[in-house]
Amino acid sequence: MRLLLIEDNARLAELIREGLTRQGFAVDWCDTIQDVEHVQRIIDYDLLLLDLGLPDGDGLDLVRATRRRLDTISILILTARGGLDDRVTGLDAGADDYLCKPFQIPELVSRCRALLRRPGLALGTVLGAGNVLLNSAERTLVVDEKSVEATPREVDLLEHLLRNVGRVVAKSALENALYSFRDEVTPNALEASVSRLRKRLGAASADIQIRTVHGVGYALFEPR
Ligand code: CA
């Protein structure tokens, strides 16, 4: 899942970015509204996390503008303005949730997960194909009724393929979803992740297949 964090306090932004990255989210960070408008033109984010007091404007205007353009994106406001009126204004502007500063990173992580499993974005919490089941909220993988360890990135990759069973998912779409701008993505980083995921699934006797479509991307197939 790819997240965009908009926060002008660099120290706080770094803490949030670290906490979420450790949980397997790909996080990009902007500190001005102008930057946000630029990256939103390039990347389709799953979730926006934003502070309201920004150097070049009010975050609420950004919430309204984002809502006008993209209705499936989730928006979580992070702010010190914690009064009831402020929360109502934020939600009315189109935010999905509100977290008051100061907050603990584990709470932020669970709010993000809750937002990302809402209908519209999520097809359901448990995704399955063949003897493979992935719980997209708990980020757990079960193969042939046995739990299988996988890295957050491998779970993310598998989730994208499971949401598109039988269809080719473009390499660029997977890279955009799995890596932030800050990740140093080598040309074969995705291939390496796919290869590790295949090995893991193979070792667990999974009966699904991840096929390479040369020059295009990858597709997951169920057993016949
Ligand atoms: Ca601020």
Side-chain angles (χ1 to χ4, degrees):
M1 290 291 176
R2 190 146 175 191
L3 276 49
L4 180 60
L5 168 66
I6 307 131
E7 166 62 67
D8 61 326
N9 176 332
R11 240 183 103 224
L12 178 60
E14 188 54 31
L15 276 174
I16 294 173
R17 204 197 57 79
E18 256 182 44
L20 289 169
T21 303
R22 209 171 295 137
Q23 297 299 317
F25 295 103
V27 185
D28 290 323
W29 169 48
C30 290
D31 57 2
T32 61
I33 291 177
Q34 201 188 349
D35 283 355
V36 173
E37 285 165 354
H38 175 67
V39 293
Q40 276 186 331
R41 260 178 247 138
I42 310 170
I43 304 290
D44 276 334
Y45 290 96
D46 301 301
L47 173 66
L48 293 188
L49 299 168
L50 88 158
D51 178 33
L52 294 183
L54 294 164
D56 58 346
D58 190 325
L60 283 176
D61 294 331
L62 184 61
V63 172
R64 290 187 193 100
T66 303
R67 234 355 133 215
R68 274 198 296 273
R69 284 194 309 269
L70 316 150
D71 21 327
T72 59
I73 197 164
S74 298
I75 302 178
L76 172 61
I77 292 178
L78 308 170
T79 185
R81 300 184 203 164
L84 182 63
D85 283 354
D86 292 317
R87 293 185 206 208
V88 171
T89 311
L91 297 172
D92 280 351
D96 297 290
D97 199 2
Y98 209 103
L99 192 55
C100 293
K101 295 177 184 174
F103 51 81
Q104 300 291 314
I105 295 292
E107 180 173 11
L108 174 63
V109 169
S110 61
R111 297 278 191 107
C112 290
R113 288 207 175 120
L115 287 173
L116 291 168
R117 56 175 184 257
R118 286 201 176 163
L121 189 72
L123 288 179
T125 313
V126 177
L127 300 163
N131 61 0
V132 173
L133 287 176
L134 185 150
N135 184 314
S136 69
E138 293 164 8
R139 319 301 298 162
T140 52
L141 176 60
V142 170
V143 178
D144 207 11
E145 295 173 12
K146 287 184 280 291
S147 136
V148 172
E149 291 285 318
T151 65
R153 190 157 282 159
E154 287 160 5
V155 171
D156 244 17
L157 172 61
L158 183 59
E159 179 178 353
H160 279 272
L161 295 171
L162 282 170
R163 287 186 189 281
N164 295 281
V165 173
R167 292 199 295 268
V168 181
V169 185
K171 203 179 150 194
S172 59
L174 289 170
E175 284 170 346
N176 282 342
L178 300 183
Y179 305 102
S180 68
F181 287 121
R182 197 161 141 161
D183 289 324
E184 285 183 25
V185 189
T186 56
N188 57 5
L190 182 64
E191 279 89 337
S193 287
V194 171
S195 148
R196 280 193 300 271
L197 178 60
R198 278 189 186 127
K199 276 194 194 128
R200 217 181 272 283
L201 291 170
S205 306
D207 59 4
I208 56 169
Q209 265 197 355
I210 300 173
R211 283 190 215 147
T212 304
V213 182
H214 287 289
V216 184
Y218 297 93
L220 185 150
F221 291 93
E222 294 192 81
R224 283 169 185 257

